[in-house]
Structure formats: structure tokens, C-alpha cells
Amino acid sequence: MAYFDAASAAPLHPVARQALLASLDEGWADPGRLYREGRRARILVDAAREAAAEAVGCRPDELSFTSSGTRAVQAGVGGVLAGRRRIGRHLIVSSVEHSSVLHSAEALEADGGTVTRVPVARSGAVAAGAYAEALRSDTALACLQSANHEVGTEQPVAAVAEVCRAAGVPLLVDAAQSLGWGRVDGDWSALTASAHKWGGPSGVGLLVVRKGVRYAARETEEFGNLPAIVAAAASLRAVRAEAGREAVRLRELTERIRVRVPELVPDVEVVGDPRRRLPGIVTFSCLYVDGEALLHELDREGFSVSSGSSCTSDTLTPSHVLRAMGVLSEGNVRVSLPAGVAEEDVERFLAVLPGVVAGVREKLGAPAPATVVAEDVLVVDALGKRCPIPVIELAKVIGNVPVGGRVRVLSDDEAARLDIPAWCEMRGQEYLGEEPADKGTAYLVRRTS
Amino acid sequence: MAYFDAASAAPLHPVARQALLASLDEGWADPGRLYREGRRARILVDAAREAAAEAVGCRPDELSFTSSGTRAVQAGVGGVLAGRRRIGRHLIVSSVEHSSVLHSAEALEADGGTVTRVPVARSGAVAAGAYAEALRSDTALACLQSANHEVGTEQPVAAVAEVCRAAGVPLLVDAAQSLGWGRVDGDWSALTASAHKWGGPSGVGLLVVRKGVRYAARETEEFGNLPAIVAAAASLRAVRAEAGREAVRLRELTERIRVRVPELVPDVEVVGDPRRRLPGIVTFSCLYVDGEALLHELDREGFSVSSGSSCTSDTLTPSHVLRAMGVLSEGNVRVSLPAGVAEEDVERFLAVLPGVVAGVREKLGAPAPATVVAEDVLVVDALGKRCPIPVIELAKVIGNVPVGGRVRVLSDDEAARLDIPAWCEMRGQEYLGEEPADKGTAYLVRRTS
């Protein structure tokens, strides 16, 4: 039994558990009250705030606790936008932010503001220059994650902060994935995080707003689950104390997965920056594999992982992160190792994975694609078929056209828009583009080898 | 040491503590995930939702968990207003709602909507007829608490719900103070509550929206602190199991305070409805007493209570509830007994209170008021003096004018606006009204006895 989804929620750290228990009897009263129980609660929350501020590298009065990381993002983005409303209503975000940031951006657009979404390279990283270009005289705020939650790529926060600072625009950093590993470098203006990403309790977020940033708070009261706050702060300190050694260990384990998965499993793309990345996250996509089936089979083998494939989400669209990176989304697996993970579990994962992928591929197997030759184009009708079938059918027929010949894949599956170009990239075939068809979309590919 | 402020936050119930501990190891994963840990978390949250729904008397799919009672109110009021925006933007609230409801009303006004604040009787209760009169064709929502948090008065929720139902307007009930005691009667449309009012953990709220109510949810994800949710639901069941017997016991204890405080302490007004009230709350105000000094002295004697006096809050204005009721706010004390409170502690409170009040009154004592007779009016200059000094000075000089003569009190303390008329009511003197003065406000009183 191995839990490899720490980027969603890390198991409760033993120190968080201890701190929670210790503060249950002291931390239930209203810290705003003048009497004994209130004063005791106030002492607890003040100590937690100081500990968290020390870990973040800010002043205690710059830090507040919220009921989740999402709430911290909503409050932080909303508060800076409101505080700088006179300057303008333009917001800059990267295209690979967490959904909480992107939802805040959509809310601004719905309310009449404008948003620039900065693209990323195939590694998942933004360029500081792209933020510089996006800055306008009416830019109220820029947002950038410290590291990506789906592929682990670290962002150039310090460089982007410098560019923003020069333009007088505050930068809000979503540090949800990285705060357990260390402080966020650079001259940022606001920062958000979420305790259950570092092994603290769920339901506690952090919001830091540096003094001097124009900020119009919309919340009337600070979040008040004191035992959870105490546990969050205590576990952040504990996790940090172990972070140096554990980072080295997890980085070695994820490096093993990065290197060996493509050796063990054919037709795999490992995604994300190979060097500038978080210690514990590694993400790869497997051609010709249905993400949901893959997760289900891995769960049966005792591995809990997540996926950015379309087939595993409610929306039937692939992860916006993979889409923005332009990488394959089918058969996607994110392994995010929790601190303290056993090396044997990683080895067993590597031992089990090839058979699991082969099994899923075999089940999806054969249905001979209905193909019709029209002029010099081989047409593959994959209408009504879901990821990864359109790509499987393309792969089956590419050998049936001569080098220089074309294949036209008809598909109404949203994932095909991402996965057919990604397949071409992986296979060295030429992707010619898409065009609307009678039903769905036609994707054109030229055989080049 | 006696904690008498359960209406702010009840001490953690032993069942809440047990449930929290039991679910810490099972409840940290994301219940939206398909793998083992996610499924276990989902089972926990579903069971908690069913238990809470049974206690509320609603369907499980009508109930969601939030990060606080305040958040439940914000989401509930906001969601119904958004869902019924086409009908109109008029909101009805009582004038004695919790600040979370009143803040939501202010937010609507700031955003261009309109609000009717229904007045209350001196008991603190609204009349259903007043809601009927307030209803308009563009009323989107009406809100009414099940019982008042400062004075314990129960509201006629069933009658108001019937009036609203007849007009096709949903009624949202803030049941924060009463849900631990029992279900809310009547055909209400939405309901909110807060776990730490019934002995659950802080940081968990409930929001119930009946099927058929037009509701536009604004939250993108449900609150996810599973151990706290499990503890909230488990403690609600436990508290309910004890509620029948405990209500009888607490009602007898608060009745003792209601009857004996006016016998033991001169110049006291017990406020709130003597019969239609919560079992554990009793509130009284002491003439010529500074609320902050009173709380401080009671804390030294080992009693934790709260106060609606102006002197104990940051804003220097008396509680909006006492103001709406038109009762005395100076020297105000709210005793809210937690379940399981010891009878001896209540008796000790009654033994200590007379001396504490007398001591505070003695300290405030003497400064001879500067008075000037102008025409037939005795002028008391209490400018720059805070509650309860203006009333003390009025009381000192009323005997200096003949029956039929007038006293004019100059004051720039907001509490005087409430306390001078309340003093007249208690003392059988005639309050003639207020008028602007060169500095502050002049309050006119005629001696009638």
C-alpha cells in the first residue's frame, strides 16, 4: 500500500497530530475575548503566527490564517485587486496556475476586468520576459506559482518578482507546493499556501501580504480553528527541519522514476523540467492508455496516484497544465511522493508499472479502424471515441500511407486536440493542423518517416 | 473557575474530541479522489453529512459543510440572492441578527440592493406581521435567527416562515444558537449553523438549502477539514441525545439568575423574553457600571462572561441587539451556561456578583458634575465622558430639579443615546428626546416623580 499523491494532500505529520491534540483543550475559546480562556487562545494563535511567519520569512503581522489554500488565494487576489482598483483592473497569471488562481482570474473577467495568461515552455516554466511584456499601466496584480502542482516544474519567481517590482506591480506567489521545502526567494509582495500540502491538517491556509502593498481586506474575521492552526504551524517547522535531507532523498527517487519509466515502458513521455523541479513530483504520459483504467489498475496494485488525463476528471477535458505545455495528456500519471516514503515502494512501483500499462493497452487493443481513402488522404473516423482511442487509431494506420502521405483523424474528443500534436512530436511525424469537420474536428498529420 | 460564555464558543464536547482523534488517520486525503485513501475519506464525509442532516431534519444532499458559521451565512445569503436576482434585490433581516447576517445585508446595500431591517419588541422578538409588512414583490430573501445570541430570546420562526412561504419568498434561518437544542420548526428554506456553538470544533459551519430554492452557489469546492467535520457531526448527535434533560436543568439555573440578580443587586434590568428563550442564556444590565471593569472583576473572581456594553468592544458603540431592543446597555453581562455546568458555579456567581457590582460602582463614584441652571433646565455637561458616567451624572442631579423640571445631559458618548432613555424607562422618568448641541448631543429628561 503506497500513497503517491502528496501533491493533492500529504498524510498528517506526526507533529501536526501531537500539536492538534495538545491544543484541543486550550484552543476552543474566542481569542478576541478578554477573559482567561480567550487570552490562552490568543497566546496560542500568536505563537502559531510567529512560527509560520518565521518559516515564510515575513513579519507576523503580515500573515493571516484562512480556512484553506483556495480561500487564501481568493482573499489575496481579491484584496490586492480591490486595493489597487484605481490603478486598473488588469491581472497577469501564468497559464499553469492552480485552479483557485485561474478561477479568481475568471471572476475578474466576469466582473469586467481583463486577464493576461502568460504561456509556458514545454517544460512548464514561464519566462520572466513574458511577464515583462504582459505588464501594462493598468496592471493591478501579477500571480505566479512557486512550482507547478502537476509536473513539479519550479518557476523563476525571483526574476519575475524583479520585473514586477521595477514596474511597481505586486506579485502574488502561490507557494502551495513548495513552502514545506523552503522559503520562496525573491522580492514578492503576497504569498499563499495550504497546510495539508506539507503534512498539516486540511482546512488551514496561509495568506501573507507584505506591508506597503495596497490591500483592501474583504474578510470580516480571521479563520478561527485554533487547534488546526497550531498544528499547521508546528508541522511546518517540523517539515522544514527535515526538508534538507528529505529533499535529497526524494529527488533521487523521482530521478529513478524519470530515468527508468521510459526504459521500462515503451511510448512514454516524461514531462516537466528535469532539473528545476520539486523533489517529490514526477509526471509522465503513456501513449495508447486510458488514464482512468491506469489509475484503477494501479490502485488495485496498492498505488494511489493522480492523473491529468481527461478520462479521469469530471469535465472530460485534459488538465489545463498539460494543455498549456503542449505535452501528451493520455495515460497521464502524476507520482508525488510524501516525505518519508519507503524506497521499496518506489521500486515496487517500477516493477509493477510495465505490466499494468501493457494490460491496459491490451484491453483497449484492436477495433480495426474504419478508414476510407479520399484523394491522397487516409481518413480515420474516431467520432464518438474517447481518449486514447483516436491516437491509437492514428498510430495503427500511419504505416498504411506512404512517406509524405497524410492521415486525417476525425474526432470529437477534446483530448485529441492536445494528444495528436503531442503524438506527432514524440513520433517525429508532422502535425499539419486542425479544421472543423461536419462532425467534430479533423486533425491532419503528414507521415515524414 | 467557571466558563459562562458558551454562546461565543462552547468547550469541545468529549465526543467531538474522540471523533476527531479517530478520524485523523483516515480523513486527510481528498474525498474526490478515486483511490483507496480518497474513498475512505469520502465514506467519512458522507456519514457525517447523513448524521448532520438527520439532526437538522433535511436531506443529506441539501446540507454542505463550510469553514465557519459566518461563512455558511455568507454563502447562503449570497447564493440565494444570486439565484433570485431576477426577482429582485430586496432583503429582509431582523434588526437583532448576528453580525454575519448584517454584514451580508450591508454588502448587498453597497452593491446597490435594498434592505429592510425589521424592528423588535423590548423582549428582543420580531412579530411575524412585521415580516409580512416588509415583504415586497422584489424581495429575494428574508433572514431570521432561530434565537438571539445576546439575550436568548426565541424568534417566531414557524410563523415568519409561513408568511414568507405564502409570498413565495425563501426564509433563511440562522440557527447557530439553537441547533444543539433541537430542530428548527417550520417550513424554512435555508438554514445555517456553527459547530463550536454546540461543542463541536471551531472552524466548521453547516449550510442547508432546501431542494427547490433557487440557489446559485459561488463556492467552487466544499470545505475539506474532514476530522473537524466528523467531530462536528458526531458531537451534534451526542449533544442532542443529552439536550432534553440538560435543557430543563440549565433553564432552572438561568431562571435562578433571572429572579435573584434583581433581588441581590440594586438598579439592574434583566433583558430578553422571560419565557420564550434558550435554556442557557440570561442577560442583564447594571446601572452606573462600566462593562469592561465589571468583566475584568468577574474574570478575577474566575468567571468568564461577555458583555454588550460599549466599553468592552473595539467600536465604542453598544451592542446593536440591546440598541434595537431599547434596553439599558451599560454594565451589561451575558451569562451563557455550557452544557454540564456545575450548579455550585452558578451559586458562587450569585454570591460574588453583588460585591463585584458594588465595587465597580464605588470606583466610578463621585466627580461632582458641573451643572449650570439655564431657565428651568438643569444642564449636565458630560462631554468627553464615557458610559456609564453620563447616566451616573443624570441620576445624581435628577433630585435637584422639582417634579416637572427638566435635565439636559450633554454627551458625545454613543452609548448615552441608548442608556439615557433606558434609564428613564427603568426609573419612571420622562424621556423627552435628543437634539444636536454645539458639541455632541443634548438628551432631555423631565422629572415626573
Side-chain angles (χ1 to χ4, degrees):
Chain A
M1 301 306 220
Y3 179 77
F4 285 179
D5 198 22
S8 287
L12 198 68
H13 193 283
V15 167
R17 192 190 166 91
Q18 285 163 21
L20 197 67
L21 295 189
S23 57
L24 276 182
D25 298 320
E26 297 283 303
W28 50 267
D30 179 348
R33 299 287 173 174
L34 302 173
Y35 45 68
R36 191 176 53 253
E37 295 84 355
R39 294 193 301 269
R40 270 203 312 242
R42 168 59 55 193
I43 289 167
L44 283 179
V45 76
D46 285 349
R49 197 190 314 278
E50 276 173 35
E54 203 280 328
V56 168
C58 67
R59 289 167 35 171
D61 61 352
E62 294 174 330
L63 185 148
S64 57
F65 295 103
T66 65
S67 60
S68 69
T70 293
R71 186 63 67 185
V73 166
Q74 288 172 346
V77 172
V80 176
L81 287 177
R84 288 175 48 88
R85 198 177 163 125
R86 284 193 186 176
I87 284 121
R89 304 196 69 206
H90 177 238
L91 172 69
I92 303 173
V93 299
S94 89
S95 52
V96 296
E97 294 298 314
H98 186 263
S99 58
S100 57
V101 174
L102 296 180
H103 287 153
S104 294
E106 286 157 19
L108 175 66
E109 284 177 320
D111 194 35
T114 55
V115 177
T116 299
R117 290 171 180 79
V118 172
V120 295
R122 209 172 158 82
S123 69
V126 300
Y131 270 73
E133 279 169 33
L135 286 163
R136 310 193 322 205
S137 62
D138 64 340
T139 303
L141 175 66
C143 298
L144 178 61
Q145 62 196 188
S146 55
N148 186 267
H149 50 298
E150 289 193 31
V151 300
T153 299
E154 289 177 341
Q155 301 291 355
V157 169
V160 170
E162 206 177 309
V163 159
C164 290
R165 181 68 59 177
V169 171
L171 177 69
L172 181 146
V173 178
D174 167 15
Q177 289 296 333
S178 76
L179 197 66
W181 296 112
R183 292 183 177 180
V184 175
D185 286 341
D187 194 8
W188 45 265
S189 304
L191 180 145
T192 60
S194 172
H196 75 132
K197 306 291 188 190
W198 69 64
S202 55
V204 181
L206 290 189
L207 170 61
V208 179
V209 181
R210 293 276 197 207
K211 290 292 154 203
V213 176
R214 277 177 202 263
Y215 185 79
R218 300 181 303 171
E219 302 285 311
T220 51
E221 52 174 326
E222 188 175 12
F223 173 60
N225 187 340
L226 264 191
I229 286 171
V230 170
S235 56
L236 181 55
R237 283 172 75 113
V239 161
R240 280 290 188 80
E242 302 153 359
R245 202 176 44 193
E246 191 63 11
V248 171
R249 204 176 70 87
L250 292 195
R251 190 171 289 278
E252 193 278 318
L253 291 174
T254 47
E255 187 62 26
R256 263 189 234 186
I257 296 174
R258 291 190 73 86
V259 170
R260 286 175 52 197
V261 164
E263 294 168 1
L264 294 166
V265 182
D267 299 322
V268 161
E269 180 177 15
V270 179
V271 301
D273 195 296
R275 277 167 304 276
R276 287 183 52 87
R277 61 182 178 86
L278 291 170
I281 298 184
V282 54
T283 304
F284 54 86
S285 300
C286 309
L287 266 179
Y288 321 136
V289 167
D290 165 354
E292 182 161 358
L294 186 55
L295 258 55
H296 182 69
E297 292 302 319
L298 284 170
D299 181 43
R300 285 180 49 160
E301 296 283 347
F303 295 99
S304 300
V305 298
S306 79
S307 171
S309 290
S310 59
C311 343
T312 52
S313 77
D314 292 338
T315 57
L316 289 177
T317 58
S319 133
H320 70 276
V321 172
L322 301 179
R323 218 159 44 199
M325 292 166 67
V327 298
L328 189 71
S329 79
E330 68 184 37
N332 180 258
V333 172
R334 176 186 68 186
V335 171
S336 54
L337 304 177
V341 69
E343 180 182 355
E344 307 87 84
D345 285 338
V346 173
E347 283 299 327
R348 200 167 60 81
F349 178 77
L350 288 169
V352 157
L353 184 70
V356 166
V357 173
V360 173
R361 281 178 176 161
E362 198 182 321
K363 274 187 209 149
L364 285 172
T371 61
V372 183
V373 178
E375 298 163 17
D376 66 333
V377 180
L378 186 67
V379 177
V380 176
D381 180 357
L383 290 167
K385 291 176 181 163
R386 295 273 153 241
C387 156
I389 302 297
V391 172
I392 290 178
E393 303 209 338
L394 167 60
K396 278 184 181 161
V397 302
I398 192 78
N400 298 351
V401 299
V403 170
R406 289 178 294 165
V407 179
R408 181 181 168 93
V409 183
L410 297 173
S411 172
D412 49 10
D413 180 28
E414 188 55 33
R417 175 160 290 124
L418 175 59
D419 289 340
I420 290 175
W423 178 89
C424 292
E425 177 91 19
M426 287 174 74
R427 281 286 173 272
Q429 308 295 353
E430 186 183 0
Y431 179 65
L432 299 173
E434 61 168 79
E435 59 193 35
D438 284 350
K439 287 184 181 174
T441 303
Y443 300 92
L444 265 171
V445 175
R446 190 198 311 276
R447 180 176 173 192
T448 53
S449 60
Chain B
M1 302 303 220
Y3 179 77
F4 286 178
D5 197 23
S8 287
L12 198 67
H13 192 282
V15 167
R17 190 188 168 92
Q18 285 162 20
L20 197 67
L21 295 189
S23 58
L24 276 181
D25 298 321
E26 298 283 304
W28 50 268
D30 179 348
R33 299 287 174 173
L34 302 173
Y35 45 68
R36 192 176 52 255
E37 295 84 354
R39 294 193 302 269
R40 271 201 312 241
R42 168 58 54 192
I43 289 168
L44 284 179
V45 77
D46 285 349
R49 195 189 314 278
E50 275 173 35
E54 205 280 328
V56 169
C58 68
R59 290 166 36 170
D61 60 352
E62 293 173 331
L63 185 149
S64 57
F65 295 103
T66 66
S67 60
S68 69
T70 294
R71 187 64 66 185
V73 166
Q74 287 172 345
V77 171
V80 176
L81 288 177
R84 288 176 48 89
R85 200 179 162 122
R86 285 193 185 176
I87 284 122
R89 305 195 67 206
H90 176 240
L91 173 68
I92 303 173
V93 299
S94 88
S95 52
V96 295
E97 294 298 314
H98 186 263
S99 58
S100 57
V101 174
L102 296 180
H103 287 153
S104 294
E106 286 157 18
L108 176 67
E109 286 178 317
D111 194 34
T114 54
V115 176
T116 299
R117 291 170 181 80
V118 173
V120 295
R122 208 172 159 82
S123 69
V126 300
Y131 270 73
E133 279 169 33
L135 285 163
R136 309 191 324 203
S137 62
D138 65 339
T139 304
L141 175 66
C143 298
L144 179 61
Q145 62 196 186
S146 56
N148 186 268
H149 50 297
E150 289 193 30
V151 299
T153 299
E154 289 178 341
Q155 301 291 356
V157 169
V160 170
E162 206 177 310
V163 158
C164 291
R165 182 69 60 175
V169 170
L171 177 70
L172 181 146
V173 178
D174 168 13
Q177 289 297 334
S178 76
L179 197 66
W181 296 112
R183 291 184 179 181
V184 175
D185 287 341
D187 195 8
W188 46 265
S189 304
L191 180 145
T192 59
S194 173
H196 75 132
K197 305 292 187 190
W198 69 65
S202 55
V204 180
L206 290 188
L207 169 61
V208 178
V209 182
R210 293 277 196 204
K211 289 292 153 202
V213 176
R214 275 176 203 265
Y215 185 81
R218 300 180 305 172
E219 303 286 308
T220 52
E221 53 174 326
E222 189 175 12
F223 173 60
N225 186 341
L226 265 190
I229 286 170
V230 170
S235 56
L236 181 54
R237 284 171 74 112
V239 161
R240 280 288 188 81
E242 302 153 0
R245 203 176 43 195
E246 191 63 11
V248 171
R249 203 175 71 87
L250 291 195
R251 188 171 290 279
E252 194 278 318
L253 292 174
T254 47
E255 187 61 27
R256 264 190 234 185
I257 297 174
R258 291 190 73 86
V259 171
R260 287 176 53 198
V261 164
E263 293 168 1
L264 295 166
V265 182
D267 298 322
V268 161
E269 180 176 15
V270 179
V271 301
D273 195 298
R275 277 168 302 277
R276 288 184 53 88
R277 62 182 179 86
L278 291 170
I281 298 183
V282 53
T283 303
F284 54 88
S285 299
C286 308
L287 267 180
Y288 320 136
V289 168
D290 166 353
E292 183 161 357
L294 186 55
L295 258 54
H296 183 68
E297 292 303 319
L298 284 171
D299 180 43
R300 284 179 50 160
E301 295 284 347
F303 295 99
S304 301
V305 299
S306 80
S307 170
S309 291
S310 59
C311 342
T312 52
S313 77
D314 292 338
T315 57
L316 288 177
T317 59
S319 135
H320 69 277
V321 172
L322 302 178
R323 219 160 43 197
M325 292 166 66
V327 297
L328 189 72
S329 80
E330 67 184 38
N332 180 257
V333 172
R334 177 185 68 185
V335 170
S336 54
L337 303 177
V341 68
E343 180 182 353
E344 306 87 84
D345 285 339
V346 173
E347 283 300 327
R348 199 167 62 80
F349 178 77
L350 288 169
V352 157
L353 184 70
V356 167
V357 173
V360 173
R361 281 178 176 160
E362 198 181 322
K363 273 188 210 149
L364 285 172
T371 61
V372 184
V373 178
E375 298 162 19
D376 65 332
V377 180
L378 186 67
V379 177
V380 176
D381 179 356
L383 289 167
K385 293 178 181 160
R386 296 274 153 239
C387 155
I389 302 298
V391 172
I392 290 178
E393 302 209 340
L394 167 61
K396 280 185 179 161
V397 303
I398 191 80
N400 298 352
V401 300
V403 170
R406 289 177 293 165
V407 178
R408 182 181 166 92
V409 183
L410 296 173
S411 172
D412 49 10
D413 180 28
E414 189 55 34
R417 177 160 289 125
L418 175 58
D419 289 339
I420 289 175
W423 178 88
C424 293
E425 176 90 20
M426 288 174 74
R427 280 287 172 269
Q429 307 295 352
E430 186 182 2
Y431 179 64
L432 299 172
E434 62 169 78
E435 59 192 35
D438 283 352
K439 285 184 181 175
T441 303
Y443 300 91
L444 266 171
V445 176
R446 189 196 311 276
R447 180 175 173 191
T448 54
S449 60

